[in-house]
Amino acid sequence: STSTTTPGAADWATSSMRLLRELYELFKFRLKEKPDITLFCEAGLDPIMIRTERQRVMQVLINLLTNAMKFTQQGEIRFGCQLKEDNEIYFFVTDTGSGIPEDERDKIFNRFIKLDREIPGTGLGLTLSQTIVEKLGGRIGVESQQGIGSTFWFAVPLGAYD
């Protein structure tokens, strides 16, 4: 089979439940140092078979969850996925962090853009995430209110390799 020679192709079908559970365990452990934050995973009742590069989806979710952790001091971080009617899977990470000013929202996917100089990071995570999502045939975005929190989301076709 070609799965041994094509990077990422070996894991192109995965259960949404398993992927989200792995992330939940990883970030529950990472959040031990921030006891004022509660982590919620909203996986839905029915597992969704995702036909796309699992590692790439994981990488984007890890970037978004890491950012949520950086910018949230207390409250909650919620993440999960839903099946949308137009045959795509919608992933989201919502936090009760500092939020993003309206005039900054368009810039955050640009390279080396960091809205908070005090928080460690290169300013490349969102740019990289956008590139990955677009290569998978999807789209990425953010909804945010300053002082209330943010929801970063991305949607990819359910059968990117069908």
Side-chain angles (χ1 to χ4, degrees), residues 13-23 41 43-44 46-50 61 80-82 89 91:
T14 190
S15 160
S16 60
M17 297 282 216
R18 200 166 83 210
L19 184 132
L20 295 175
R21 191 168 40 242
E22 269 180 57
L23 286 167
C41 179
D46 299 319
I48 303 164
M49 285 310 290
I50 306 165
L61 285 167
C81 67
Q82 302 164 344
I89 185 164
F91 294 91

Side-chain angles (χ1 to χ4, degrees), residues 58-92:
M58 284 279 277
Q59 190 174 4
V60 173
L61 285 167
I62 287 170
N63 282 345
L64 298 181
L65 283 161
T66 300
N67 282 354
M69 250 183 81
K70 284 183 198 177
F71 294 100
T72 305
Q73 299 314 313
Q74 62 182 32
E76 60 187 47
I77 296 172
R78 292 182 177 272
F79 72 102
C81 67
Q82 302 164 344
L83 191 57
K84 292 291 188 185
E85 291 168 16
D86 42 0
N87 247 1
E88 63 180 10
I89 185 164
Y90 171 88
F91 294 91
F92 64 91

